[in-house]
Amino acid sequence: MRDIIYWILCAFLTVAIAIVSLRYVTNFWLLSFVYSFQVHLGVVFVAASLIILAIKRQIYGFVLLLASLLLVVHGVIMLREFSEGDRGTDRQPLFRLMSFNIAIDNWKNSTEITDMVIASNADVVNLLEAKPLTFHLQQLFKAYPYHIGCDAGKDTCDTLVLSKRPFVSRQVASMGSLRKNRLVMASVSFGGETINLVSAHLTKPYFDDFQMAELEDLGKALGSIDGPLVLSGDFNSSAIAPSIQALLREQKLKTITPEPATWPIGAGALGIAIDHIFARAPLHLTSLKRLEDNLGSNHSGLIADFVLDKGGETSSTK
């Protein structure tokens, strides 16, 4: 009986490891979201391997344990690939940015979200699925005189970018063919330096191959931008997903790792980061934190501070 249980468990675990390991062979869209959980699943596989070895110590159980450990270790290594170096957190930031998917049906918390945004001390705020803030826009516009989005009523209020400073440039575009106007590209001057700000809201990766098309369009848009750049928003995928990794490598984007987990809310710090804030040199993050309260959203928001390198020196003039 022990032999039967042992081999049944080995078979199930072998299939599970093989599915996750397909990322090294193909970036199949149906498994893209699974790839985001590589580290988490690897830990589960390690535990399962130990249970198998407790039932019966045979060589195949040790092979499964080794494969599981490799998934975990390589997952951590891949995440650290996009890590910022030490930029001196004691320096005054050039500006602060908040990014938060507030959830399109989160009407009952709209007042609290509005108050939180105003009290955040963020210079720029990137709000996704912003329709619940329809009746608080004038209050937000008093605190943030410059905005992109939500100009034509709640039916077009999806991405809303708020700024305390005027936009040097602004553009709203679409990625892929599934949803419209979920790419906002703007620039703002801080301390005499023009910073490019890009907001993106990607489709879930298991919605056919729509996200792949969106990432292609996003990559083209980012490639056309010169100078310091911030990319923030809801990617619905971890930075460990192969398609996201490809974008980050191509565009030379970095973040602070480990990134704060933003989803699922119930998992807290044990979740994964599917909402991101990235920077491209000479701009660098010095702080990346999760907002203390998700205020009814199914995502956690993020707030980040930035510094700018100029000829080897980090700008701290605001």
Side-chain angles (χ1 to χ4, degrees), residues 6-164:
Y6 174 85
W7 286 113
I8 289 175
L9 292 178
C10 284
F12 277 115
L13 185 55
T14 300
V15 171
I17 292 174
I19 289 173
V20 176
S21 300
L22 281 174
R23 65 166 298 138
Y24 301 108
V25 180
T26 178
N27 185 21
F28 182 38
W29 63 266
L30 191 59
L31 293 176
S32 183
F33 197 58
V34 174
Y35 300 154
S36 290
F37 284 91
Q38 177 170 329
V39 174
H40 294 68
L41 291 173
V43 172
V44 172
F45 296 163
V46 168
S49 300
L50 293 175
I51 292 173
I52 288 172
L53 288 170
I55 295 173
K56 192 171 184 179
R57 292 192 178 185
Q58 286 193 352
I59 187 63
Y60 193 70
F62 287 102
V63 171
L64 292 175
L65 177 59
L66 177 60
S68 302
L69 288 170
L70 288 175
L71 286 176
V72 175
V73 172
H74 189 231
V76 172
I77 291 173
M78 287 191 292
L79 286 172
R80 291 186 61 82
E81 175 185 349
F82 307 106
S83 177
E84 281 277 18
D86 183 9
R87 292 289 162 179
T89 56
D90 57 332
R91 295 189 176 102
Q92 169 123 12
L94 181 66
F95 70 97
R96 172 171 291 178
L97 179 141
M98 175 196 294
S99 183
F100 188 18
N101 183 337
I102 69 172
I104 199 165
D105 58 351
N106 193 13
W107 293 89
K108 68 178 182 179
N109 294 288
S110 59
T111 299
E112 289 78 5
I113 293 171
T114 300
D115 293 339
M116 181 273 294
V117 168
I118 294 173
S120 69
N121 196 35
D123 299 286
V124 179
V125 180
N126 175 33
L127 298 171
L128 308 176
E129 300 188 16
K131 185 184 288 190
L133 302 180
T134 300
F135 302 110
H136 301 278
L137 291 177
Q138 295 310 310
Q139 184 181 353
L140 286 168
F141 295 164
K142 286 181 180 179
Y144 291 89
Y146 309 96
H147 74 279
I148 301 173
C150 298
D151 292 311
K154 67 179 182 180
D155 291 335
T156 59
C157 194
D158 189 351
T159 298
L160 174 62
V161 179
L162 304 168
S163 176
K164 291 183 178 180

Side-chain angles (χ1 to χ4, degrees), residues 3 17 20 26 80 83 96 98-99 138 144 151 169-170 176 189 199 209 211 215 230 249 253 259 265-266 278 317:
D3 285 343
I17 292 174
V20 176
T26 178
R80 291 186 61 82
S83 177
R96 172 171 291 178
M98 175 196 294
S99 183
Q138 295 310 310
Y144 291 89
D151 292 311
S169 65
R170 49 188 289 166
S189 178
S199 165
D209 58 355
Q211 192 193 79
L215 285 168
V230 177
R249 291 189 185 111
L253 296 166
E259 292 180 273
I265 291 298
F278 300 112
T317 303

Side-chain angles (χ1 to χ4, degrees), residues 95-301:
F95 70 97
R96 172 171 291 178
L97 179 141
M98 175 196 294
S99 183
F100 188 18
N101 183 337
I102 69 172
I104 199 165
D105 58 351
N106 193 13
W107 293 89
K108 68 178 182 179
N109 294 288
S110 59
T111 299
E112 289 78 5
I113 293 171
T114 300
D115 293 339
M116 181 273 294
V117 168
I118 294 173
S120 69
N121 196 35
D123 299 286
V124 179
V125 180
N126 175 33
L127 298 171
L128 308 176
E129 300 188 16
K131 185 184 288 190
L133 302 180
T134 300
F135 302 110
H136 301 278
L137 291 177
Q138 295 310 310
Q139 184 181 353
L140 286 168
F141 295 164
K142 286 181 180 179
Y144 291 89
Y146 309 96
H147 74 279
I148 301 173
C150 298
D151 292 311
K154 67 179 182 180
D155 291 335
T156 59
C157 194
D158 189 351
T159 298
L160 174 62
V161 179
L162 304 168
S163 176
K164 291 183 178 180
R165 302 187 182 213
F167 294 106
V168 177
S169 65
R170 49 188 289 166
Q171 180 183 356
V172 178
S174 300
M175 301 174 291
S177 59
L178 185 61
R179 294 186 173 91
K180 303 298 181 183
N181 301 326
R182 284 192 163 187
L183 175 63
V184 175
M185 296 175 286
S187 60
V188 176
S189 178
F190 295 100
E193 299 289 342
T194 299
I195 306 298
N196 298 290
L197 308 167
V198 179
S199 165
H201 188 180
L202 300 180
T203 302
K204 293 177 176 61
Y206 44 84
F207 283 12
D208 209 316
D209 58 355
F210 287 109
Q211 192 193 79
M212 299 294 292
E214 291 172 349
L215 285 168
E216 183 177 351
D217 290 344
L218 177 58
K220 291 178 181 177
L222 296 177
S224 68
I225 298 173
D226 294 322
L229 181 145
V230 177
L231 172 62
S232 65
D234 176 8
F235 288 66
N236 276 304
S237 294
S238 164
I240 205 173
S243 53
I244 305 298
Q245 283 188 313
L247 176 76
L248 299 182
R249 291 189 185 111
E250 180 184 6
Q251 299 302 326
K252 297 179 172 59
L253 296 166
K254 299 290 185 178
T255 189
I256 291 178
T257 57
E259 292 180 273
T262 62
W263 185 91
I265 291 298
L270 297 179
I272 63 172
I274 65 172
D275 304 85
H276 305 280
I277 298 179
F278 300 112
R280 186 165 69 193
L283 193 68
H284 305 278
L285 289 100
T286 59
S287 172
L288 178 62
K289 298 178 181 178
R290 182 174 54 191
L291 299 181
E292 292 183 2
D293 195 334
N294 65 303
L295 296 171
S297 174
N298 59 341
H299 293 246
S300 290

